[in-house]
Each structure stands twice: as C-alpha cells, then as structure tokens.
C-alpha cells in the first residue's frame, strides 16, 4: 500500500492540471512514546514512529464529475511482538450533472484496519438516483456492503 501511494503521488506530479481539476494532499511523520499501546493492566511502553498521508482528486468532465480520496496511517512500535497499527481507506465517486432530469451518484469505498487486537475489512457500493424534473423529487438508493471484523476478547 505504501508503494502504491508513493507511485500515485509521483504520477500526479506529471499530469497536466486544468481548471476543471482539483488535487490536494498531505503527509505527516511523527514519533513518540506510548506508555501502554496494548492497553493491558501494568502494560509495557514502547517508542513509536508513525506516518499519515491523505490525498483528494476531483475532475469535472463536462456532464460527469469524478473524485478519488485516499487516506493511510501506519504506526510501528519498537518493542518486538507489538503489532503495527494500520488504517487505509480509498473512496471513488462518480456523479452526473442532472442529465435528462435524473441525478445519479455512485460511491465505492474500500477500507482496511489492523491493530494488535482488531482486523477489519470493509467494502461498500452506494448508488443514489433521483428524478429532479419537478416539484416532487423521488429517489432510489441502494447499498451493497461486505464487511469482516475479527476482534480478540
């Protein structure tokens, strides 16, 4: 995942931007000490290093609008046996500009979280269609979701 984010940021640097495109990104690197990362009674502390990255890209294609957002967080502890904390999220969105009195919006989300006691994966597809040609604006929305959660108790 780290290689993918670096490659995407490198590629976006060579893409010619136009007035209909927007791109924003951030990166933060930090270090420190966590006195009890496992939240255990009389737990042992560990030094840590962490990075966070986020990016958003959007483009107006005339009749359609597309967007991509991504977030990543990775924290590694110095002590052996401490599982790194990982959190990744990618969201893709496509919407039209009310063509033929119909508004259509589709969003796909991928998410992964991993820590010492939790593993979670999530995929969601959401579609929203609305008739916008009159005073009454009925809509249809649908969600398709796949999620897995594994927690130690």
């Amino acid at each position: 995942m780290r290689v993918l984010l670096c490659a995407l940021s490198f590629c976006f640097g060579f893409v010619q931007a136009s007035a209909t495109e927007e791109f924003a990104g951030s990166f933060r690197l930090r270090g420190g000490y966590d006195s009890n990362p496992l939240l255990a009674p009389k737990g042992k502390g560990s030094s840590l290093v962490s990075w966070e990255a986020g990016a958003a890209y959007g483009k107006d294609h005339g009749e359609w609008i597309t967007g991509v957002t991504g977030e990543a967080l990775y924290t590694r502890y110095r002590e052996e046996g401490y599982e790194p904390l990982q959190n990744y999220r990618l969201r893709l969105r496509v919407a039209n500009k009310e063509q033929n009195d119909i508004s259509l919006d589709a969003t796909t989300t991928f998410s992964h979280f991993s820590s010492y006691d939790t593993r979670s994966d999530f995929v969601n597809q959401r579609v929203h269609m609305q008739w916008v040609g009159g005073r009454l604006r009925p809509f249809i929305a649908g969600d398709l979701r796949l999620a897995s959660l594994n927690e130690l108790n």
Side-chain angles (χ1 to χ4, degrees):
M1 185 61 153
R2 289 179 275 175
V3 173
L4 176 65
L5 286 174
C6 290
L8 285 175
S9 64
F10 182 75
C11 291
F12 279 131
F14 292 107
V15 176
Q16 183 74 16
S18 69
T20 61
E21 291 181 308
E22 297 289 333
F23 177 76
S26 70
F27 181 80
R28 181 169 75 165
L29 180 64
R30 64 187 178 97
Y33 184 81
D34 191 339
S35 61
N36 191 358
L38 300 181
L39 303 176
K42 299 182 184 177
K44 183 178 175 184
S46 175
S47 57
L48 62 94
V49 64
S50 178
W51 62 264
E52 297 176 39
Y57 174 78
K59 184 171 182 177
D60 187 343
H61 299 275
E63 296 179 354
W64 291 89
I65 299 171
T66 57
V68 177
T69 60
E71 302 170 25
L73 165 78
Y74 185 82
T75 302
R76 175 162 293 299
Y77 296 97
R78 185 170 188 261
E79 293 295 321
E80 292 293 323
Y82 284 12
E83 189 77 21
L85 176 71
Q86 302 176 59
N87 191 5
Y88 307 109
R89 178 173 293 142
L90 177 67
R91 178 173 287 149
L92 311 169
R93 188 169 186 182
V94 177
N96 74 344
K97 291 184 178 176
E98 302 176 0
Q99 300 167 358
N100 300 325
D101 294 332
I102 295 176
S103 172
L104 181 65
D105 185 1
T107 305
T108 305
T109 305
F110 303 97
S111 178
H112 171 76
F113 177 80
S114 174
S115 71
Y116 74 95
D117 70 343
T118 305
R119 305 281 184 276
S120 171
D121 292 299
F122 177 77
V123 178
N124 186 35
Q125 175 65 54
R126 183 175 192 276
V127 178
H128 183 270
M129 184 170 52
Q130 183 174 17
W131 182 61
V132 292
R135 299 183 110 194
L136 182 64
R137 295 181 173 212
F139 68 91
I140 297 173
D143 273 57
L144 180 61
R145 214 172 265 194
L146 175 63
S148 72
L149 177 63
N150 184 4
E151 291 182 312
L152 298 176
N153 293 327

